[in-house]
Amino acid sequence: MKTFDVIALGELNVDLILNRIAGFPEVGKEIFARDMICTLGSSTAIFAANVSALGARTAFAGMIGRDAFGELVRGSLEARGVDTRYVIEAADRATGVTVVMSYGEDRANVTYPGAMEALRFADLDPEIFLSARHIHLSSLFMQPGLLADIVPILRAAHDGGATVSLDTQWDPAEEWRIDCREVLPLIDVFMPNEAELTALAHAASLDEAIGSVRPWLRHAMIVKRGSRGSVLVTAGGECREVGALLNREAVDTIGAGDSFNAGFIRCFVRGGSLGECQDAGNLTGAISTTAAGGTGAFADREAAVRTARERFGKQLNLD
């Protein structure tokens, strides 16, 4: 019996989110934002908080500083039911911070990486790979230590009996230094968005990108397309496209992709079919847009179920 359904492995930081911004910043000038939120940030942490809210026994493995932002991160995770026993506090590094300037479906981010850059495979408690049914990794290009060690991490996960999902997120340097032929066969569920996949595959279109990486898929890939839904691709060559559940009164789209991941993986670890997992991801991604911040719509399981029913006319199956 595994201790945790999911262990999220990756970056931890605080998000300072600015909404209702009067235009775009210019050097030497000042503009105003009319809304501000300081909250738990990072793709991996948003995923962990939300998959926990959806009922998965969840823990986190990452690195923070011994500072006020680190306390906010740890406290926020624990408040969402996420076990933090594998979170490391670095005495010589500060907790990361991302300033998010939100413009509808688009956003501009400025990140101070802090402690997340330092985490390496050797820092991780080996128990992580034995206690998890599933391990989710995200934002590799923001974590050079984990990126350098990605293959031994994935092998340790599989040796420990865990399945693995990966959402690389965007590469700030736009170098995309990951060997798909080596890494993708070790990933059970690959979870890029359309822009990330086409950049990673150096492709001119989504179809070309899918064709490029499909030979190396271990099990499945889900490609998130924002307001255009998602595309599920299996290692056997099947392709399933599902449209998005649009929220015409969206508060913001921060964390919608991470919330998609949470819904998909929650369904995956309880044995749902890949099609059911895709539908669950589409729904939780839409639910995320009904509240500010990446975790605002997932205060608890009941809140998510109620929003699915009342706002989208859908049943969110979590049992």
Side-chain angles (χ1 to χ4, degrees):
M1 179 67 177
K2 298 279 191 174
T3 305
F4 299 105
D5 297 317
V6 178
I7 293 182
L9 171 56
E11 89 282 29
L12 286 169
N13 65 275
V14 168
D15 272 357
L16 181 63
I17 304 170
L18 304 178
N19 283 300
R20 297 173 58 203
I21 306 171
F24 294 94
E26 297 180 43
V27 175
K29 297 183 179 181
E30 185 169 355
I31 58 175
F32 290 103
R34 295 302 178 183
D35 287 320
M36 183 191 78
I37 302 168
C38 186
T39 186
L40 175 69
S42 85
S43 172
T44 321
I46 292 170
F47 164 84
N50 291 351
V51 79
S52 176
L54 294 174
R57 297 170 300 155
T58 306
F60 202 101
M63 185 175 286
I64 56 177
R66 293 180 182 172
D67 51 32
F69 281 159
E71 292 176 6
L72 187 154
V73 166
R74 186 185 290 275
S76 297
L77 287 172
E78 292 175 350
R80 296 301 179 113
V82 179
D83 192 298
T84 61
R85 70 182 70 180
Y86 303 121
V87 174
I88 302 164
E89 290 187 359
D92 58 343
R93 292 177 180 266
T95 303
V97 180
T98 296
V99 178
V100 182
M101 291 168 283
S102 180
Y103 298 93
E105 283 199 13
D106 293 321
R107 61 186 185 266
N109 296 352
V110 179
T111 294
Y112 165 71
M116 73 175 76
E117 286 188 316
L119 187 63
R120 298 296 301 260
F121 177 46
D123 298 315
L124 300 173
D125 187 332
E127 183 182 294
I128 291 168
F129 304 105
L130 301 174
S131 61
R133 294 177 60 200
H134 183 88
I135 293 175
H136 178 78
L137 298 99
S138 186
S139 301
L140 280 185
F141 300 112
M142 295 179 66
Q143 302 171 92
L146 289 189
L147 179 59
D149 294 342
I150 185 61
V151 171
I153 288 171
L154 296 175
R155 287 177 177 160
H158 285 300
D159 288 346
T163 52
V164 182
S165 53
L166 170 66
D167 184 347
T168 64
Q169 300 282 321
W170 188 256
D171 180 3
E174 299 189 34
E175 295 175 344
W176 304 98
R177 292 181 178 177
I178 189 169
D179 187 345
C180 290
R181 292 170 294 183
E182 183 178 31
V183 171
L184 292 188
L186 299 172
I187 301 294
D188 295 280
V189 184
F190 184 40
M191 312 185 82
N193 68 26
E194 182 174 1
E196 292 154 2
L197 179 63
T198 53
L200 182 65
H202 305 288
S205 68
L206 177 58
D207 287 343
E208 181 185 344
I210 290 173
S212 176
V213 304
R214 179 183 281 152
W216 305 313
L217 295 179
R218 177 186 180 94
H219 187 45
M221 173 174 68
I222 186 75
V223 184
K224 293 162 287 187
R225 307 187 72 200
S227 61
R228 290 175 291 174
S230 61
V231 178
L232 174 68
V233 182
T234 70
E238 298 177 13
C239 190
R240 180 178 187 255
E241 186 170 354
V242 175
L245 297 169
L246 297 181
N247 177 14
R248 301 191 183 281
E249 298 178 356
V251 176
D252 70 39
T253 59
I254 302 296
D258 308 314
S259 301
F260 181 108
N261 293 348
F264 189 106
I265 296 303
R266 176 69 183 102
C267 184
F268 184 77
V269 297
R270 67 178 180 81
S273 69
L274 289 174
E276 290 171 335
C277 294
Q278 181 182 20
D279 292 340
N282 270 13
L283 181 53
T284 52
I287 290 170
S288 179
T289 68
T290 64
T295 62
F298 297 89
D300 53 43
R301 176 185 175 123
E302 290 71 26
V305 169
R306 184 170 58 253
T307 301
R309 181 179 64 251
E310 295 177 356
R311 294 291 294 273
F312 300 101
K314 299 287 185 178
Q315 180 68 35
L316 182 59
N317 296 315
L318 300 175
D319 297 320

